[in-house]
Amino acid sequence: MTPIIIDKRYCGPPNSGNGGYVCGRLARHIPGPAEVTLRAPPPLDTPLDAIATDDGTWELRDGAKAVAAARAASVELAQVETATLPEARAAELLALFRPHEHPLPHCFVCGPARTLGDGLRIFAGPLSRQARAPVLAASWAPDPNLAGEDGLVASEFLWSALDCPTGFACNYDSRSGSFDKTPLLLGRMSARIESRPRPGNPCIITAWPTGRDGRKRSAEAALHDEAGKLLAVARTTWIAVEREVQLGRFS
C-alpha cells in the first residue's frame, strides 16, 4: 500500500499536519461517516503507513508509533446552524485574520499568512445574530487545485475546512466578543459528507461550541452551499495544551 505523506503545505502547527486534513486523509479508508482520533502530532514529509486492524479500524503509523486511528461512526447533530453568504462574509471581519494576533498564522486552513491558492484562508468570526450558543461563520470558495480526480473538491479538504472553525468556536467568548488565547490541539474529529462541491462554488461554514470538560472543549460545524444545501457536518474535540506543545516544541 502506498504510504501517506503529509506535505508541509498541509501543516497546522509549524511542525505537524493540520488535524482536519490528516483525519480526512485517513478517513478515505472508511466508507461513509468516520471518527478519527489523533494520538500524536502528525509529522510532515514523512512516509506514514495506513494499516487495517482486526476490529475494522484503520491506524496511521509512523514506524511503531500510532499517529491516528479511524473507525466508522454515526455523525448526527442535534441541530445544524446556518448562515447566508453575506452573513458569513460579515462575520469574517470579526475573525482573527491578522498574522500578529493569530495563534498559528501559517496553518493550511485558517492561517492569514498563507496566500490565495495555497492555504484555504478560512477566517471564522461571530455572526451578528446569535442563537442559543455563539455561532461562528466563514465563506469559502475552494481553489481548483483542491479537486480530486472526479473534478469535485477532495474529501480531505472538506474535513480540513470544518476543522479550524470549531477550534475558534471553542475559544470564542460571546460576553466579551473576543477570542481567548488558550492554545488548543485537535484530539478527535468525526465527519459525515453528504455532497462535495465543485471548485470555485461559494460555500458557507458555520461552527458552534457544545461543551467543556476539564481540558477538553467540544464543538460542531456544518458546510452548506450558497443555496443552503447541506454538504457536510462535523463534531470535534479539542485539548487545551501549553503553547510550546501546540507549536511542537517538546524538549
Side-chain angles (χ1 to χ4, degrees):
M1 183 174 293
T2 303
I4 291 176
I5 298 176
I6 309 302
D7 187 88
K8 62 183 179 181
R9 176 190 176 190
Y10 306 120
C11 71
N15 302 314
S16 59
N18 170 266
Y21 175 81
V22 174
C23 289
R25 286 291 302 272
L26 186 57
R28 285 185 188 177
H29 296 282
I30 306 292
E35 175 188 276
V36 183
T37 301
L38 294 168
R39 305 196 184 282
L44 301 172
D45 294 332
T46 302
L48 305 173
D49 296 314
I51 300 172
T53 64
D54 293 338
D55 62 0
T57 64
W58 281 80
E59 285 191 349
L60 188 64
R61 302 190 68 87
D62 179 13
K65 179 192 292 185
V67 173
R71 67 177 184 89
S74 174
V75 186
E76 301 293 335
L77 307 188
Q79 64 184 53
V80 174
E81 300 291 350
T82 62
T84 65
L85 190 60
E87 286 176 329
R89 287 173 173 164
E92 291 169 342
L93 300 178
L94 302 175
L96 294 179
F97 57 85
R98 298 176 181 85
H100 73 275
E101 66 182 7
H102 196 282
L104 297 171
H106 293 278
C107 173
F108 170 63
V109 176
C110 64
R114 303 294 288 264
T115 58
L116 285 171
D118 177 31
L120 302 189
R121 293 180 58 84
I122 294 173
F123 308 129
L127 289 172
S128 58
R129 49 98 181 154
Q130 294 295 343
R132 289 171 290 179
V135 179
L136 272 57
S139 65
W140 178 44
D143 191 89
N145 66 33
L146 305 179
E149 293 182 357
D150 61 0
L152 303 178
V153 177
S155 60
E156 58 266 31
F157 299 120
L158 303 188
W159 282 72
S160 304
L162 292 168
D163 167 20
C164 294
T166 64
F168 285 102
C170 287
N171 272 359
Y172 181 68
D173 183 348
S174 59
R175 292 169 296 182
S176 66
S178 63
F179 295 89
D180 77 47
K181 305 299 183 183
T182 304
L184 301 176
L185 285 177
L186 183 66
R188 177 173 292 162
M189 184 172 186
S190 306
R192 185 183 85 243
I193 296 174
E194 298 284 344
S195 179
R196 293 185 290 126
R198 292 193 175 279
N201 288 0
C203 299
I204 300 106
I205 298 161
T206 48
W208 55 97
T210 55
R212 294 191 181 192
D213 181 12
R215 293 172 55 223
K216 294 182 179 180
R217 303 186 181 190
S218 58
E220 296 174 345
L223 178 70
H224 292 83
D225 68 12
E226 187 176 6
K229 176 184 176 182
L230 180 66
L231 302 176
V233 294
R235 179 185 299 118
T236 60
T237 300
W238 293 78
I239 310 298
V241 297
E242 297 296 328
R243 176 64 170 166
E244 294 299 294
V245 173
Q246 184 189 44
L247 294 174
R249 300 169 182 165
F250 306 109
S251 60

